[in-house]
Amino acid sequence: MKRIIKYPAIFGLFLALASCSSGDEPKKQSSIPGKEPIEHLKSVILDDNGNLRLTKAGDNAMTYMIDCDDEHNANEICSNILGDLNWGVANETYTYSDGYGSVKMDLNPNEGVFISMAFNVNSLPAFTLLLTSHEYFDNNNYKYTSVPEDERVFQCFKCGYKVTRKSKPTRTHCPGSFWMEVN
């Protein structure tokens, strides 16, 4: 009788252990090998002095935002930032080849945020980038620097087109692009 009870108990324990996952989220390897995607990433998010040229999210340290028209626009921007246009945005960790680091993506982490991107990339500070709706971006209590309103210059990150306006343009210049203030 002990033998009959022992085997199902051992089998049940085996099934329980086999069904447990490691808790790791899915990982996606970059389809572009080498340093090229990292150089692209730096050209998108760093200014000429090597500083992040993204809009800071209120008082949150190392959290930045880009306002997007909709979820599709956020997906295009995410792929453009990564430098891998063939990648379909998903809840996973995007790993650059050759040990350059990774970016963890979280889709719709809270209302008004389409995608959260947590960067852990060599030669860059660790930071989080939120691709948000216009409403979330505008209501995040972010205040632009005290540049006179008629002198604010915004630049399309994709093509470099510059425009001078009182406020940030609401529509992107190029598909999958976003505006950055360049004063």
Side-chain angles (χ1 to χ4, degrees), residues 82-154:
L82 294 175
D84 192 346
L85 300 178
N86 296 321
W87 178 68
V89 179
N91 279 332
E92 61 189 7
T93 300
Y94 183 88
T95 304
Y96 290 105
S97 63
D98 303 327
Y100 285 110
S102 63
V103 181
K104 183 178 184 269
M105 252 64 72
D106 190 10
L107 302 180
N108 303 310
N110 54 13
E111 187 158 348
V113 178
F114 299 118
I115 303 170
S116 172
M117 302 172 73
F119 288 82
N120 185 12
V121 177
N122 297 352
S123 72
L124 289 176
F127 69 96
T128 301
L129 177 61
L130 305 176
L131 303 178
T132 71
S133 66
H134 297 301
E135 296 79 16
Y136 185 94
F137 186 88
D138 291 340
N139 292 324
N140 202 41
N141 299 322
Y142 174 76
K143 302 295 181 215
Y144 289 105
T145 56
S146 59
V147 175
E149 287 190 2
D150 58 343
E151 295 180 24
R152 293 175 59 195
V153 178
F154 298 93

Side-chain angles (χ1 to χ4, degrees), residues 59-77:
D59 295 330
N60 297 335
M62 300 312 287
T63 301
Y64 300 87
M65 298 185 305
I66 296 174
D67 59 331
C68 305
D69 294 332
D70 54 29
E71 190 170 345
H72 178 71
N73 180 234
N75 291 345
E76 287 178 333
I77 290 171

Side-chain angles (χ1 to χ4, degrees), residues 144 147-155 161-173 179-183:
Y144 289 105
V147 175
E149 287 190 2
D150 58 343
E151 295 180 24
R152 293 175 59 195
V153 178
F154 298 93
Q155 180 177 4
Y161 177 78
K162 292 182 181 179
V163 62
T164 302
R165 300 235 172 136
K166 290 183 179 184
S167 62
K168 191 172 189 176
T170 57
R171 296 285 174 211
T172 56
H173 184 258
W179 293 104
M180 296 177 293
E181 191 166 7
V182 292
N183 283 343

